[in-house]
Amino acid sequence: MMKIIFIFFSLVLCSNAQSKEKYYCLKSKNDVILLVSSQYPDVNHIKYYPYFKNIKISKPVKEESIDMGDDAKPEVYRKMNEIINGKITGYYTFMSQGYLLYNVEYVNIKNKKKTIFEKNDLQVKGSNCI
């Protein structure tokens, strides 16, 4: 009985901890939802909804800043490798301006398929979207 109670409280605590973290929730045309921690650019993983499994990404391997003119923050593009089982399987290019993340392009290295994720006002169950 004590094991069941312990498991129940562990699950409740895990789900509460997961829902308190804030994410940029970005959606593709195929309705795939990418979750990027609000700590961006200081992140080392991303997640996909509804799985919430951490997918490791590298520190930026390339960074480019584009001046947007007077009184505008530059657009910043950061390329980070996706690492699964110790191998680079793809890469993400994140586009932000100021402190906001606007879109992400993912390229699968094996099949060269590109997926574009764009910031949307999403409500994602089990996640706190910003």
Side-chain angles (χ1 to χ4, degrees), residues 24-28 102 117-123 129-130:
Y24 289 103
C25 299
L26 303 111
K27 188 175 181 181
S28 74
Y102 285 99
F117 298 92
E118 296 182 336
K119 186 171 176 358
N120 286 304
D121 293 327
L122 296 174
Q123 298 298 321
C129 295
I130 55 171

Side-chain angles (χ1 to χ4, degrees), residues 10-117:
S10 296
L11 290 172
V12 168
L13 288 174
C14 287
S15 66
N16 284 343
Q18 185 174 4
S19 65
K20 288 183 183 180
E21 185 173 355
K22 294 184 179 186
Y23 295 95
Y24 289 103
C25 299
L26 303 111
K27 188 175 181 181
S28 74
K29 289 180 182 176
N30 296 334
D31 294 330
V32 176
I33 299 173
L34 176 69
L35 305 173
V36 180
S37 171
S38 63
Q39 301 300 310
Y40 176 83
D42 298 321
V43 296
N44 59 10
H45 67 273
I46 51 92
K47 300 178 184 198
Y48 285 92
Y49 176 81
Y51 309 106
F52 294 106
K53 180 181 175 187
N54 288 344
I55 297 174
K56 185 175 180 179
I57 57 174
S58 69
K59 294 290 184 195
V61 293
K62 184 178 179 184
E63 191 169 312
E64 182 180 355
S65 184
I66 298 176
D67 184 17
M68 300 306 291
D70 295 337
D71 298 327
K73 301 275 186 192
E75 284 185 356
V76 179
Y77 294 83
R78 290 180 179 91
K79 180 178 174 182
M80 299 179 187
N81 292 325
E82 174 184 64
I83 303 167
I84 297 178
N85 296 326
K87 296 180 181 176
I88 297 172
T89 56
Y91 61 86
Y92 294 87
T93 303
F94 297 85
M95 191 285 279
S96 60
Q97 189 174 21
Y99 63 89
L100 296 176
L101 179 63
Y102 285 99
N103 67 45
V104 178
E105 177 183 87
Y106 172 72
V107 177
N108 180 299
I109 289 178
K110 188 179 255 184
N111 62 18
K112 307 296 187 225
K113 181 181 174 189
K114 290 183 182 180
T115 305
I116 306 288
F117 298 92

